[in-house]
């Protein structure tokens, strides 16, 4: 329960909404984020990113029984079948053995699909990072986080927002004692642009590489409280180990 008090979890669509969508963003150009995944448990629950034709990366706090989840790729309007979607069953989920649900350290999981997706103009994997991001790098966050502040309701179309990587000093200044080497902050200290509930597990893409996974934050788009993302570059050894062991 401590974690629920300290953090705004950005995952379940059923979470109590507070400025509850990609805040300060806009509707993405359709299929401009072809790695974007919707993890569905009867409704959109979390985001994720396609990293090759059979693997999805998301946040560990989005974990559900794999047999209760459907992964949807190639989607834009989440409530209309546009003919571009692929609906995939999940074979197995691997979350980091050091994941801490209270601090959200090591907030990462890999999902293996039962069958490979068909890669096409609507469905393409995102590259994993070759190096860590640099403060000031501009990055894209996308998701279907809730759209109303007074009830739970997902937006129809995928939302995008651009935010810069912040320095470790700025990140630590906003969240003293809570930031680990597996976390990176992105956003504006003046507030106004951020991810929010329902966006969890989704991509933070910088210079064509997946540098972050939407993880947590205090409120959404609040001044001095930027979004906190799982730092993908710091977990590449673990990612590569899982992919090599179970692919």
């Amino acid at each position: 329960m401590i974690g629920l008090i300290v953090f705004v979890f950005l995952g379940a669509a059923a979470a109590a909404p507070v400025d509850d969508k990609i805040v300060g963003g806009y509707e993405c150009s359709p299929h401009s984020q072809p790695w974007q995944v919707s993890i569905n448990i009867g409704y959109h629950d979390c985001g994720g990113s396609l990293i090759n034709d059979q693997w999805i990366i998301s946040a560990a706090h989005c974990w559900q029984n794999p047999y209760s989840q459907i992964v949807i790729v190639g989607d834009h309007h989440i409530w209309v079948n546009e003919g571009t979607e692929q609906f995939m069953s999940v074979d197995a989920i691997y979350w980091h053995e050091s994941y801490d649900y209270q601090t959200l350290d090591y907030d990462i999981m890999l999902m293996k699909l039962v069958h490979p997706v068909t890669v096409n103009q609507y469905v393409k994997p995102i590259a994993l990072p070759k190096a860590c991001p640099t403060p000031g790098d501009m990055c894209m966050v996308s998701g279907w986080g809730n759209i109303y502040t007074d009830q739970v309701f997902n937006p129809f179309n995928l939302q995008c927002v651009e935010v810069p990587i912040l320095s470790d000093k700025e990140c630590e200044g906003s969240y003293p004692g809570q930031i680990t080497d597996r976390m990176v902050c992105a956003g504006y200290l003046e507030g106004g642009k951020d991810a929010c509930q329902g966006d969890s597990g989704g991509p933070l893409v910088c210079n064509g590489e997946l540098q972050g996974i939407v993880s947590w934050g205090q409120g959404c788009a609040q001044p001095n409280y930027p979004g906190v993302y799982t730092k993908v570059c710091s977990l590449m050894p673990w990612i590569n180990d899982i992919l090599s062991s179970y692919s």
Side-chain angles (χ1 to χ4, degrees), residues 158-217:
L158 186 65
Q159 304 291 304
C160 283
V161 67
E162 293 170 86
V163 290
I165 296 290
L166 298 180
S167 69
D168 292 343
K169 182 178 180 180
E170 289 170 315
C171 193
E172 176 65 25
S174 293
Y175 300 103
Q178 298 175 73
I179 302 301
T180 72
D181 292 341
R182 275 73 55 189
M183 300 176 189
V184 62
C185 286
Y188 294 91
L189 294 181
E190 62 267 30
K193 295 186 178 186
D194 200 1
C196 206
Q197 284 96 340
D199 295 319
S200 260
L204 176 76
V205 174
C206 318
N207 300 314
E209 295 180 340
L210 182 69
Q211 292 287 5
I213 301 166
V214 178
S215 183
W216 63 276

Side-chain angles (χ1 to χ4, degrees), residues 28 63 72 80 130 166 206:
C28 308
W63 183 89
I72 306 171
V80 171
K130 301 178 187 68
L166 298 180
C206 318

Side-chain angles (χ1 to χ4, degrees), residues 68-90:
S68 72
Q69 295 179 317
I70 293 293
V71 166
I72 306 171
V73 295
D75 212 354
H76 179 68
H77 191 303
I78 204 167
W79 285 21
V80 171
N81 190 339
E82 300 162 286
T84 57
E85 303 89 346
Q86 298 176 44
F87 301 86
M88 313 298 294
S89 298
V90 179

Side-chain angles (χ1 to χ4, degrees), residues 215-229:
S215 183
W216 63 276
Q218 182 165 316
C220 301
Q222 298 300 306
N224 299 312
Y225 292 109
V228 185
Y229 299 79

